Amino acid sequence: MNIGSPDATAVSAVVAGFNLSAAIINIVNPAGAIVGYTHDLLRWLDRSGVDEKNFEQCMKAARGLAHPNHNDMVLSGSISKADKRLQNLKKGQLPLALTFSQALGRLIVQEPDVCYMASITACLLRHHDMAYATSALTSMVLDKGGHETETKHDYEVWRAPTRAVIAKVVESIFLDISNPGHQTEPFPPELANLHVHVLDDANFAAIAMQIQRTLSDLLLQADRFPGDIILWLLNHFEGHLEDDHETCNGRSWPVVLAEIIDGKPRRLVGGSSAEYLKPCSYQRQKLYMTENLMNTTYISLKTYLNKDRKMKSYTLLGLCILLSHAVADALGANDVSGNPDPPEGTISGVMTLLSEVIDQDVVRWNTWFQVGACAVSGCPWALYASGSRSPEIRPSTSLVGVQYGSLIVLAPWLDFNAPLDINGAFRIRVFEGLVQGVNDDIACIETEEMSKIQQRQDLNRMDVEKNPWKRITDIDNTPFGVQKAVFRAERDVYRLLVIVKVNKQLRLVDPTQSIMALSRSHQAACCGHRRSDDTPEQLREMLDLSGSNINVVTLEDIFTSWE
């Protein structure tokens, strides 16, 4: 290869690009950085709108505030198994090219000084939402003690930028760890059936930090079973835990943490938790177990409905959640996301589907996929409203994929190496990872319309072979290949480009049209005869077609003429 050749120039440009990237990493990865800055992390920071300086300052402030114990290794072990599972899948055939998630929520598990942020968030999401987890973690990072008589966290100038960073960290942990199904160790059998009550975020943060600071025996006294802080202790505390709680009551309940010194308690935290706080899990849920989803969704439902409409709308919402689970079940899902769509989204999706089935007497793949994907992944129904807005973009034929964090929902017929079969086609496949080419945490994937033939040639008018009998017995060895690529069309909307190459001919092919055509076709029974060993002359004599014009076409002939 000549130094001045185009190939050499291209290689030089690539090498220069690698050197520049390495230099950038070295610049922004200072000595003592808490989280190693990789290309993927830098892209995540840019995509999330997180300032690098604020991020590094927040990570330094959060360093070493807590440490997971051996129980919490369940979380990191679960993530490792998922990565190995994807590695094994990549050795075979996948509907689309998938890669490992490199979002912060995934990377932070590997950082010893701040991995507790993932484990604490996973614990909190068993009983709280992401806003609570954000407030609790922010208070832990900024906590300075002084809660002996009253739990309070004085406002600091750094609270706003710290909370902004932690909000993105918590969101990434949910999208890339909790929502795909990774959980911390649950309650042991002795505590599993107790009625869980929860602390407010200020008390939770104060108690957690005081536990981390003392080496003495501790006494946590409460009128109710504080399940959220107990679960945190089980996953972050080394030692013995004894539980002695009283029955529930309907009042605000005091919470006191004391250390035992010389056999006497010394108060460290004194406060109370409000009775209105109710536990609501954002972990993945079993199908048709709607009570928790109703609790989390109904919170927002109550904000925009008057008193007279609440009961009717609550009943309608419950019915729509059940129907969305039924759709997910019919499509082959095993469970659903614990992150519910806003009530208006859940109701709109199911009502759209019912209107098509009842009023229009039609079953549309797009609508069923949308409703099922919302239930399985937790993505909002509003995502689909962002598709194909620009008139400059050709309309897509169907929706075939949704990516929500590290959870991917795909149509099953995208694997061109698998036999095309209508059985099981009206289903979904769920994967953990990232679709190669999709750079957003939330996105939908549509198919690109099949390209038209510029100069269509009728197969019946093709030139007749001078001696077609020689081709009848030949095996059609026309070179054939399929390439797929995913590219951004608009915000949150990506297009799947499927290019089929037959010999030297290239065409865009829509896999949705292929499966739809198969569903409408009459499939003949498979022929059990072996391939004929007769010579062309014997075939001619057997068929008695002397004098007839026979067109013998190859795959390339059909490919270039088929609409």
Side-chain angles (χ1 to χ4, degrees):
M1 182 171 59
N2 296 327
I3 298 300
S5 67
D7 290 338
T9 304
V11 171
S12 299
V14 171
V15 172
F18 282 135
N19 292 337
L20 177 61
S21 300
I24 293 174
I25 294 297
N26 291 334
I27 291 173
V28 300
N29 205 12
I34 308 304
V35 178
Y37 287 85
T38 63
H39 295 283
D40 296 298
L41 178 55
L42 289 174
R43 282 198 295 266
W44 182 88
L45 290 172
D46 179 65
R47 187 173 68 249
S48 302
V50 176
D51 179 75
E52 293 172 20
K53 185 176 180 180
N54 286 343
F55 174 75
E56 182 62 27
Q57 185 172 7
C58 178
M59 291 298 103
K60 286 183 177 180
R63 177 170 50 189
L65 294 184
H67 295 281
N69 61 19
H70 64 281
N71 281 340
D72 200 62
M73 293 301 102
V74 172
L75 183 67
S76 57
S78 177
I79 295 172
S80 298
K81 288 180 181 178
D83 289 341
K84 291 179 181 178
R85 186 162 56 248
L86 178 58
Q87 184 65 43
N88 292 332
L89 286 173
K90 292 176 69 175
K91 295 177 181 178
Q93 297 297 333
L94 289 168
L96 292 178
L98 303 183
T99 186
F100 300 100
S101 173
Q102 296 295 325
L104 179 63
R106 218 57 177 222
L107 296 174
I108 209 170
V109 177
Q110 306 169 15
E111 302 292 338
D113 289 333
V114 289
C115 63
Y116 74 90
M117 300 182 80
S119 57
I120 288 179
T121 300
C123 286
L124 289 175
L125 290 177
R126 281 184 177 270
H127 302 111
H128 299 285
D129 59 12
M130 285 186 281
Y132 179 102
T134 298
S135 297
L137 275 172
T138 303
S139 295
M140 288 179 65
V141 171
L142 300 176
D143 184 81
K144 295 180 180 178
H147 306 295
E148 290 82 1
T149 59
E150 180 185 4
T151 303
K152 61 179 180 178
H153 297 275
D154 295 331
Y155 181 80
E156 298 183 41
V157 67
W158 291 113
R159 186 172 183 88
T162 300
R163 194 181 194 284
V165 173
I166 289 180
K168 290 296 184 180
V169 173
V170 168
E171 180 185 40
S172 182
I173 292 170
F174 169 76
L175 290 174
D176 299 293
I177 295 178
S178 296
N179 196 46
H182 304 293
Q183 301 181 12
T184 54
E185 190 74 8
F187 286 127
E190 297 84 353
L191 303 177
N193 295 323
L194 296 180
H195 185 195
V196 172
H197 295 271
V198 292
L199 303 174
D200 58 63
D201 58 271
N203 274 294
F204 180 94
I207 292 172
M209 291 310 302
Q210 289 299 94
I211 289 175
Q212 291 296 125
R213 293 186 178 120
T214 183
L215 298 177
S216 304
D217 290 338
L218 294 167
L219 172 66
L220 179 63
Q221 185 176 11
D223 289 348
R224 307 180 186 180
F225 175 60
D228 48 2
I229 193 68
I230 297 299
L231 183 64
W232 177 83
L233 283 169
L234 290 171
N235 286 276
H236 297 82
F237 183 73
E238 296 289 352
H240 298 284
L241 178 66
E242 297 182 7
D243 173 59
D244 183 15
H245 69 284
E246 299 181 10
T247 58
C248 302
N249 57 56
R251 301 175 288 104
S252 296
W253 45 294
V255 182
V256 176
L257 177 70
E259 62 176 339
I260 308 300
I261 300 179
D262 296 330
K264 297 181 179 180
R266 185 177 76 87
R267 177 178 290 197
L268 298 176
V269 178
S272 62
S273 195
E275 60 179 300
Y276 66 85
L277 289 174
K278 305 295 181 184
C280 53
S281 175
Y282 276 70
Q283 297 285 353
R284 295 197 70 78
Q285 307 290 316
K286 294 181 180 179
L287 288 165
Y288 307 112
M289 301 294 289
T290 63
E291 180 180 358
N292 182 75
L293 290 171
M294 290 294 293
N295 290 336
T296 55
T297 308
Y298 190 55
I299 294 173
S300 57
L301 182 70
K302 292 187 293 186
T303 62
Y304 72 93
L305 294 180
N306 58 47
K307 185 176 181 180
D308 296 335
R309 296 179 56 201
K310 282 181 182 178
M311 186 55 66
K312 291 182 179 179
S313 298
Y314 185 82
T315 304
L316 175 61
L317 177 61
L319 176 61
C320 288
I321 291 178
L322 276 174
L323 289 174
S324 69
H325 286 203
V327 171
D329 190 6
L331 294 174
N334 296 319
D335 55 15
V336 293
S337 173
N339 179 43
D341 200 14
E344 57 272 23
T346 301
I347 295 173
S348 295
V350 173
M351 287 302 178
T352 299
L353 186 147
L354 291 177
S355 175
E356 292 175 355
V357 173
I358 298 173
D359 299 332
Q360 304 175 39
D361 195 24
V362 64
V363 174
R364 288 195 174 95
W365 160 259
N366 273 14
T367 308
W368 283 70
F369 183 87
Q370 289 167 352
V371 173
C374 281
V376 172
S377 70
C379 71
W381 177 261
L383 168 67
Y384 308 119
S386 62
S388 301
R389 294 186 299 267
S390 174
E392 298 179 1
I393 299 178
R394 291 196 306 174
S396 67
T397 57
S398 71
L399 183 67
V400 294
V402 164
Q403 178 171 295
Y404 193 51
S406 292
L407 199 66
I408 307 165
V409 182
L410 296 175
W413 60 79
L414 301 180
D415 184 3
F416 274 48
N417 292 292
L420 194 61
D421 191 353
I422 194 61
N423 295 323
F426 203 79
R427 296 174 67 85
I428 57 175
R429 297 184 66 184
V430 182
F431 298 92
E432 185 176 349
L434 296 178
V435 176
Q436 191 170 320
V438 176
N439 299 318
D440 295 301
D441 288 329
I442 178 170
C444 59
I445 304 171
E446 303 172 340
T447 54
E448 183 71 15
E449 189 178 31
M450 186 174 67
S451 59
K452 304 294 183 182
I453 296 176
Q454 300 297 327
Q455 294 180 346
R456 186 176 183 276
Q457 188 175 18
D458 193 338
L459 288 177
N460 295 326
R461 296 185 178 181
M462 295 178 68
D463 292 336
V464 178
E465 292 283 336
K466 293 182 178 180
N467 193 355
W469 300 102
K470 290 183 178 180
R471 299 183 63 183
I472 287 180
T473 56
D474 291 341
I475 296 176
D476 189 351
N477 292 319
T478 305
F480 173 84
V482 178
Q483 292 183 335
K484 290 179 284 189
V486 177
F487 65 92
R488 185 198 296 273
E490 295 185 78
R491 180 179 177 271
D492 301 333
V493 181
Y494 288 74
R495 287 290 179 89
L496 171 62
L497 198 70
V498 180
I499 303 174
V500 177
K501 181 178 181 182
V502 178
N503 204 3
K504 297 181 180 180
Q505 306 294 332
L506 296 174
R507 284 189 69 182
L508 291 177
V509 173
D510 179 8
T512 304
Q513 290 187 1
S514 301
I515 197 69
M516 291 303 296
L518 180 63
S519 67
R520 298 188 183 104
S521 64
H522 298 284
Q523 301 182 52
C526 295
C527 177
H529 299 92
R530 64 179 180 84
R531 182 177 178 83
S532 175
D533 294 327
D534 296 326
T535 64
E537 290 74 15
Q538 290 172 328
L539 282 173
R540 180 182 229 175
E541 182 178 352
M542 180 179 64
L543 294 173
D544 193 21
L545 294 176
S546 57
S548 301
N549 290 332
I550 303 297
N551 288 349
V552 180
V553 296
T554 63
L555 175 60
E556 181 180 3
D557 298 328
I558 299 174
F559 181 71
T560 55
S561 303
W562 165 59
E563 284 286 2

